[in-house]
Amino acid sequence: MTRFILLPGLVLSLVAPTAGAQTAVTGATALHNLMPVPATVSIEAGGLPIDSRFSVAFSGYKDARLEAAAKRMVERIARQTGIPILPKSGIAVLTVKCGKAAGRVQQVIEDESYSLKVTASGATLTAPTSYGVLRGFATFVQLIEPSPAGFVATAATIEDRPRFPWRGLMIDAGRHWQPIEVIKRNLDAMAAVKLNVFHWHLSEDQGFRVESKLYPKLQELGSDGLYYTQAQVREIVRYAADRGIRVVPEFDVPGHTGAWLVGYPHLASGPGPYEIQRRWGVFDPVLDPTNEQVYVVLERLFGEMAALFPDAFFHIGGDEVNGKQWAANKKIQAFMKRRGFKTDGDLHAYFNKRLNTILKKHHKIMVGWDEILHPDLPKDIVVQSWRGQKALADAARAGYRGILSNGYYLDYMWSTERHYLVDPVGKDAEALSDQQKARILGGEATMWSEWTTPEMIDSRTWPRTAAIAERYWSPATVRDVEDMYRRLDVVSRRLDFTGVLHRTAYRPMLERMTGGRPADALEGIVNLVEPVREYNRGRGLKQTQQSPLTRVIDAARPESEQARVFARLVDGLLADPAKKANRPAIERSLREWQDDAAAVQPLLDGFLLLEAKPIVERVSGLSALALRALQAIDQGTALKLSPEDTSLLAEAAKPMAEVHLMIVPPIRKIVDAAAGR
Ligand code: ACM
């Protein structure tokens, strides 16, 4: 059944905090649902009523972008509250004082600060530049709460600015194609949590995704017809710029270029022919750094692409060159010997230096994954660290600017908490001087798309990315995990109003599995599982780019809210079993899971649910075992475990159908407590 177990502390707290409370908070607070938490926020009693007369007026600088942003905010408020807000129907409720225009192209360092004052009689948003206004609008929307007297914007005084200037989300459109609707709705969600860099991973072994007029075989033979036209690219760049988001394109070279080589095999380091890669992994095809033709093509192609993307930065990938084609090519080996190159890294650095010269001609700053770091490269390149935090600290120490992605891999299926606690200035960076630390520009969450289709990419990206966005924006001291989850619960629901489908795509996926039969019970079961983590997927069942991703693992959310909440309930009970705290809620959950497991049994004949049989059986068995354990605790007797019980606990802890059953650890705790272990 559809249900949410809510701890008292998780219940959405409405607008007015305890009467008269005026808390100046630098850090997490239980009194608002803001994410990211502002640099300083003081929540005050009462609020500003939001009704159909709501309107925005500009008293300082304004332009078409700001007016469009105000209009979008009003539409967003209307959707969030259900109140029809009529244009020009009233006096200004929110007054915006913007100092000056932003430059034509958004820079890596912009003043995004703003102050927001909300009282019972009106609200004022003040910002030095347009970027602060955009960020302030995002905050204002998050202040709106339902109250017994209707919707109100919580009274507050906020002074806010980001901790890091580079706050990104990468979407991989190479492995699985992601149409522009996906990109647009994700840009809207990014803006809602103040992210400001969209890193667009546009080429892979599995697809080259942008139209090139100079080298049309790239998309014609390398994309299955699934690519962005140049007009669509311009549309996305404009859409992002309207929301204060830079677009950094990535064309991954010299590895990950299998799809390029289908149309242009002479650029490879090994003999062709080449095909679009359908499997996942690291593959051999690599551009030939000793072939002058490669640089001719890259200079023209990157020139063409540089003109589409106004951002100062241009990402050339540079990751995962396995060196096999280089080792097998006598001409390349002779070239390395002549130049005195000892390692593949030296050859790669030679290639990157040539690329950097090309990018400079096109007025671009080179960004690459941490493999590009080499003493031969100039200090103005930017390193994106994916293999570890140490690479980022080393880069900063050596004088390079960097951004962190290690720890923010959304495809790893980590919990929100685990991502949230990763800091771009982590342990490895603690010893850096302030000047060196300042070279750490921020971070990027990365949505790699081996296992991600347009249907469920949002559920892999959101809401976890909202918590990561807080890490990049808020003071480093904002680290209260329970409070993060409390706010995330609210923020996640509201992200719905930005258009992302992270919550709504779930049900249709479950109904597909049941063949259209009622999916309530199945939802109850799938709510309890999480996909296997990191690179453990695909070890058993081999799936490719052409496999439909419509299994239980594909519907399952990266983090089971139900299991997380259940685990907290169990911890509460076991802290002092005699008090019986949470005892009824725990029993209710266990009985519901038993019912769900029974109700789902007749549906398991469907093709997509055949593999779910052991999961369902174990949910049923574990629930029964935990109920027996509760009874033993009640009676103060020791639970006797049969060999079947022990085997059930062991088997249920292993992945089934490539998902983890997340209620196993808390149930094991109840059982251990009952058995006196
Ligand atoms: C990467 O994950 N290969 C950047």
Side-chain angles (χ1 to χ4, degrees):
M1 307 293 133
T2 311
R3 73 184 80 80
F4 290 95
I5 323 158
L6 289 176
L7 288 171
L10 288 173
V11 174
L12 180 139
S13 65
L14 295 190
V15 60
T18 41
Q22 179 154 337
T23 16
V25 199
T26 310
T29 164
L31 300 178
H32 62 68
N33 293 315
L34 300 175
M35 184 171 282
V37 167
T40 64
V41 50
S42 159
I43 297 290
E44 287 134 19
L48 172 67
I50 302 292
D51 58 28
S52 62
R53 291 164 303 178
F54 179 79
S55 67
V56 181
F58 290 88
S59 74
Y61 172 79
K62 75 171 171 185
D63 58 19
R65 168 160 69 173
L66 288 178
E67 286 182 312
K71 187 159 173 283
R72 277 199 309 277
M73 178 182 62
V74 169
E75 285 165 3
R76 178 74 201 282
I77 292 171
R79 224 172 327 150
Q80 181 167 325
T81 60
I83 298 170
I85 295 174
L86 311 169
K88 294 191 171 64
S89 64
I91 46 158
V93 175
L94 173 62
T95 303
V96 179
K97 297 178 183 169
C98 179
K100 65 175 166 55
R104 201 182 55 79
V105 176
Q106 189 171 337
Q107 301 299 304
V108 61
I109 310 272
E110 294 277 3
D111 188 342
E112 297 176 271
S113 70
Y114 68 93
S115 20
L116 179 61
K117 175 87 188 158
V118 181
T119 70
S121 58
T124 309
L125 170 61
T126 311
T129 76
S130 308
Y131 296 107
V133 176
L134 296 176
R135 308 305 170 228
F137 281 165
T139 304
F140 185 78
V141 172
Q142 289 189 337
L143 282 171
I144 298 173
E145 302 280 0
S147 86
F151 283 93
V152 288
T154 307
T157 304
I158 291 171
E159 296 285 339
D160 202 9
R161 78 201 67 84
R163 179 172 168 222
F164 293 105
W166 189 304
R167 306 180 305 278
L169 169 65
M170 189 213 77
I171 292 180
D172 172 6
R175 291 179 172 86
H176 269 107
W177 165 245
Q178 306 295 341
I180 59 168
E181 305 82 72
V182 170
I183 305 302
K184 283 186 175 175
R185 68 188 189 228
N186 276 278
L187 287 166
D188 280 307
M190 286 173 68
V193 293
K194 302 182 174 67
L195 290 174
N196 67 354
V197 180
F198 169 48
H199 169 171
W200 206 352
H201 187 82
L202 286 164
S203 69
E204 261 306 334
D205 291 305
Q206 293 84 1
F208 187 96
R209 303 297 184 191
V210 185
E211 172 191 25
S212 167
K213 296 189 200 289
L214 297 178
Y215 296 98
K217 283 192 280 185
L218 286 171
Q219 76 273 10
E220 284 168 8
L221 299 181
S223 79
D224 301 304
L226 301 172
Y227 62 90
Y228 307 103
T229 65
Q230 296 199 353
Q232 287 175 324
V233 169
R234 288 195 192 91
E235 184 183 338
I236 291 295
V237 167
R238 207 164 38 236
Y239 195 91
D242 276 349
R243 287 151 181 79
I245 297 172
R246 300 165 39 218
V247 180
V248 176
E250 178 184 352
F251 294 91
D252 200 346
V253 288
H256 290 276
T257 44
W260 306 46
L261 301 172
V262 185
Y264 301 93
H266 65 290
L267 304 177
S269 303
Y274 293 90
E275 289 182 352
I276 296 176
Q277 181 57 257
R278 304 300 177 187
R279 291 167 303 135
W280 310 129
V282 177
F283 300 98
D284 302 345
V286 60
L287 301 182
D288 180 355
T290 72
N291 177 355
E292 286 305 312
Q293 263 305 307
V294 166
Y295 301 104
V296 172
V297 170
L298 289 178
E299 172 150 358
R300 297 186 69 216
L301 177 69
F302 284 180
E304 184 185 18
M305 295 301 139
L308 288 177
F309 295 94
D311 200 73
F313 295 81
F314 196 97
H315 202 304
I316 53 85
D319 56 321
E320 298 181 317
V321 175
N322 74 12
K324 285 189 193 166
Q325 285 197 339
W326 290 349
N329 183 320
K330 287 201 178 70
K331 187 177 105 337
I332 293 175
Q333 290 303 309
F335 180 93
M336 288 176 69
K337 203 162 168 194
R338 269 200 313 281
R339 299 250 171 181
F341 295 163
K342 299 219 161 24
T343 65
D344 287 350
D346 295 339
L347 182 62
H348 192 180
Y350 164 82
F351 174 78
N352 286 335
K353 264 169 58 179
R354 299 275 314 256
L355 268 194
N356 193 43
T357 307
I358 287 172
L359 290 178
K360 280 245 153 67
K361 268 193 208 159
H362 299 304
H363 311 288
K364 297 294 182 190
I365 302 167
M366 187 164 112
V367 189
W369 300 104
D370 49 60
E371 285 97 327
I372 71 165
L373 198 57
H374 190 283
D376 284 355
L377 282 165
K379 296 288 190 261
D380 61 350
I381 63 163
V382 174
V383 176
Q384 181 163 14
S385 172
W386 72 280
R387 292 181 301 177
Q389 287 220 341
K390 188 171 174 303
L392 185 65
D394 290 347
R397 198 173 289 110
Y400 296 95
R401 289 179 295 176
I403 44 186
L404 184 67
S405 280
N406 178 264
Y408 305 123
Y409 266 41
L410 298 169
D411 59 319
Y412 274 19
M413 301 289 147
W414 287 6
S415 68
T416 310
E417 170 177 1
R418 194 163 168 197
H419 287 303
Y420 183 66
L421 293 176
V422 175
D423 197 293
V425 182
K427 284 221 174 341
D428 289 302
E430 271 167 11
L432 298 180
S433 70
D434 286 347
Q435 190 192 9
Q436 290 166 340
K437 273 186 193 156
R439 296 191 186 119
I440 296 176
L441 297 175
E444 279 186 9
T446 47
M447 187 64 261
W448 299 104
S449 70
E450 279 92 339
W451 308 112
T452 307
T453 61
E455 183 176 43
M456 64 9 191
I457 185 170
D458 299 357
S459 76
R460 272 74 191 115
T461 311
W462 307 100
R464 292 180 300 159
T465 297
I468 296 172
E470 174 157 289
R471 177 61 46 237
Y472 302 158
W473 177 283
S474 302
T477 50
V478 177
R479 292 177 70 82
D480 180 334
V481 169
E482 288 306 312
D483 190 64
M484 176 275 288
Y485 275 119
R486 180 192 64 76
R487 288 176 291 117
L488 190 68
D489 186 54
V490 179
V491 169
S492 178
R493 281 154 220 280
R494 290 184 185 167
L495 278 168
D496 265 358
F497 308 122
T498 68
V500 279
L501 309 176
H502 61 301
R503 299 176 65 241
T504 43
Y506 188 53
R507 189 71 187 199
M509 292 186 81
L510 298 172
E511 285 173 0
R512 179 195 290 134
M513 285 178 225
T514 63
R517 290 170 287 181
D520 287 1
L522 179 63
E523 183 170 344
I525 301 294
V526 179
N527 279 346
L528 307 179
V529 304
E530 293 176 5
V532 288
R533 283 175 266 283
E534 283 126 34
Y535 296 130
N536 286 307
R537 181 161 185 186
R539 290 194 192 281
L541 179 64
K542 292 288 172 219
Q543 288 191 291
T544 71
Q545 187 188 40
Q546 289 151 317
S547 310
L549 299 184
T550 53
R551 298 164 58 206
V552 168
I553 184 177
D554 300 305
R557 296 183 163 119
E559 182 167 22
S560 162
E561 179 184 335
Q562 289 74 9
R564 180 173 58 77
V565 171
F566 182 74
R568 303 284 194 281
L569 292 174
V570 167
D571 287 345
L573 172 68
L574 297 182
D576 186 354
K579 279 201 184 140
K580 300 199 176 205
N582 309 328
R583 169 76 175 72
I586 292 171
E587 179 169 343
R588 205 159 49 238
S589 294
L590 294 168
R591 293 203 185 282
E592 279 168 358
W593 297 337
Q594 271 189 317
D595 291 348
D596 287 342
V600 99
Q601 277 291 346
L603 305 176
L604 297 178
D605 55 353
F607 174 73
L608 282 169
L609 286 179
L610 286 176
E611 64 176 357
K613 207 170 162 59
I615 305 171
V616 173
E617 282 166 3
R618 274 149 203 168
V619 168
S620 179
L622 287 171
S623 302
L625 175 58
L627 285 166
R628 271 169 51 214
L630 284 181
Q631 215 167 37
I633 292 172
D634 290 344
Q635 294 164 354
T637 56
L639 175 70
K640 284 202 182 49
L641 288 178
S642 69
E644 288 75 28
D645 295 332
T646 312
S647 146
L648 170 65
L649 283 166
E651 290 304 308
K654 297 176 189 162
M656 296 165 276
E658 300 193 295
V659 298
H660 293 287
L661 184 51
M662 299 307 295
I663 53 172
V664 175
I667 285 184
R668 182 180 282 279
K669 278 191 192 171
I670 304 177
V671 168
D672 284 350
R677 294 200 293 207

